[in-house]
Amino acid sequence: MMMKKLFILLFIVMPFMSDGQVLPKPSGKYPTGVRSFNLTDFSRADSALKQHREIPVRVWYPASAKAGQQMAYVPSGLNEALRKGSYAHLDSQSLSMLSGLKTNSIPDAAPAKVNRKFPVVLFSPGWGMATFSYTALIEDLVSRGMIIIAMDNLYCGPARLADGRIITQKDYPYVTYIPYLQSAADDSRFVISSLLAGVKE
């Protein structure tokens, strides 16, 4: 229900957007930081990619500072793919307006210096969507003291690989939906194990 309200709010204010406008301010006390990277699972091949499985990941976390260059709402390189694919059934004009929107999150901001642990949530978007569409909800949760690890499962919403290629639903190499679900589950397990390994190191 909360996500539906956020989408409705976004569509209402979209006609009034201009370059440099920012998503609604999160309701919590923590500023939000974000780090973007791609993980590669060398144990799994991807027939459509013609390489090993790659998972774009964004980690949002409570930060210690509010100042800094705010992250763009639409990730770099995705604007044209969104327009070609009529993303979320939006027209070209509406999608162009989104391209100038800013988030509240500061890329690579210093983590909040507090004497407590934050709960961690692994987030995967709905079919046909990309994680950036949920940014307002994610930022609000992070501002209240959560860490959100968000994945862009390939062939779902548009996603950008490390080499710059944009992968969309049109690149989906299977006829049925089941292989996607299996791959998404494997992505989740790999992301969790990779991040846990990084923490232990």
Side-chain angles (χ1 to χ4, degrees):
M1 181 62 68
M2 184 183 297
M3 193 65 228
K4 183 177 181 181
K5 290 180 179 179
L6 287 171
F7 271 122
I8 291 173
L9 173 62
L10 187 58
F11 293 153
I12 290 174
V13 302
M14 194 178 294
F16 306 100
M17 287 180 180
S18 60
D19 285 352
Q21 288 197 316
V22 182
L23 288 178
K25 185 178 179 181
S27 61
K29 66 178 181 179
Y30 294 105
T32 57
V34 61
R35 176 164 293 186
S36 304
F37 52 90
N38 287 30
L39 292 174
T40 300
D41 185 351
F42 291 101
S43 70
R44 298 159 60 202
D46 191 300
S47 59
L49 295 183
K50 295 181 174 59
Q51 65 175 51
H52 293 103
R53 181 74 172 184
E54 187 174 334
I55 306 107
V57 178
R58 277 187 172 180
V59 178
W60 276 270
Y61 54 90
S64 61
K66 298 180 180 179
Q69 183 65 41
Q70 293 158 296
M71 182 181 69
Y73 180 71
V74 178
S76 174
L78 291 192
N79 286 307
E80 184 61 26
L82 296 179
R83 285 193 288 270
K84 286 183 178 180
S86 299
Y87 181 70
H89 304 293
L90 297 174
D91 58 29
S92 296
Q93 182 179 2
S94 298
L95 289 170
S96 295
M97 291 175 181
L98 289 183
S99 66
L101 187 61
K102 297 289 185 180
T103 70
N104 295 281
S105 299
I106 308 301
D108 302 319
K113 296 180 179 179
V114 294
N115 188 26
R116 58 160 294 188
K117 294 181 179 179
F118 298 113
V120 179
V121 174
L122 184 67
F123 178 86
S124 183
W127 177 248
M129 304 299 291
T131 57
F132 77 82
S133 292
Y134 302 82
T135 301
L137 174 60
I138 290 172
E139 287 185 335
D140 197 69
L141 292 173
V142 171
S143 75
R144 298 181 182 211
M146 302 184 74
I147 295 173
I148 308 292
I149 301 171
M151 307 178 301
D152 275 313
N153 301 115
L154 299 185
Y155 315 117
C156 181
R160 186 175 186 270
L161 300 183
D163 63 8
R165 282 185 292 165
I166 306 299
I167 303 299
T168 70
Q169 284 178 295
K170 294 180 180 180
D171 299 302
Y172 187 59
Y174 306 106
V175 176
T176 66
Y177 188 58
I178 300 301
Y180 167 78
L181 293 176
Q182 182 61 59
S183 295
D186 291 340
D187 288 348
S188 298
R189 283 190 284 267
F190 176 71
V191 169
I192 291 172
S193 62
S194 297
L195 295 179
L196 286 176
V199 170
K200 291 178 181 178
E201 292 175 359

